[in-house]
Amino acid sequence: MKHVDENLDSGGILYLKEPVGINERFTLNDFYSEELSSGYSAIYRSLSEYTNLLTDTFFSKGYTHIACSPTWPEDLENRKETTNYYWILKK
């Protein structure tokens, strides 16, 4: 938060994009991906977790919410447990 405030002027726009668990938090631990040809671990927080995080981190500091939406239409989604969302905030 400190670095955002230092580098974003009043009225500046902040764009955030994150993978999100579709129905709830989704955790992978040392999961092997054929697509990546590698193992990885990840936590995909739920949309409500991101809402709470943004409220505590940005909205409580005066940022305003401009938009929140899935990154692409549902029919283009190629994952069962996760999707991507974006948020646009104004300082």
Side-chain angles (χ1 to χ4, degrees):
M1 175 69 182
K2 177 183 174 186
H3 297 291
V4 171
D5 279 338
E6 290 174 354
N7 294 294
L8 189 64
D9 290 335
S10 180
I13 302 295
L14 178 63
Y15 174 86
L16 304 168
K17 180 186 161 295
E18 283 291 320
V20 175
I22 291 178
N23 295 314
E24 60 188 3
R25 177 186 279 230
F26 182 69
T27 303
L28 296 173
N29 189 14
D30 199 23
F31 177 80
Y32 185 80
S33 167
E34 294 288 336
E35 186 177 351
L36 299 173
S37 300
S38 179
Y40 72 102
S41 298
I43 296 173
Y44 301 95
R45 290 172 177 80
S46 68
L47 188 56
S48 63
E49 286 180 278
Y50 278 109
T51 299
N52 292 338
L53 179 64
L54 292 172
T55 298
D56 293 346
T57 307
F58 292 105
F59 303 140
S60 66
K61 306 284 191 271
Y63 284 70
T64 56
H65 178 259
I66 296 174
C68 170
S69 181
T71 305
W72 44 78
E74 187 176 328
D75 61 330
L76 295 179
E77 182 58 63
N78 64 352
R79 304 279 191 257
K80 294 178 183 177
E81 298 89 0
T82 64
T83 189
N84 283 276
Y85 266 76
Y86 71 86
W87 294 264
I88 301 174
L89 313 177
K90 184 176 181 179
K91 182 175 180 183

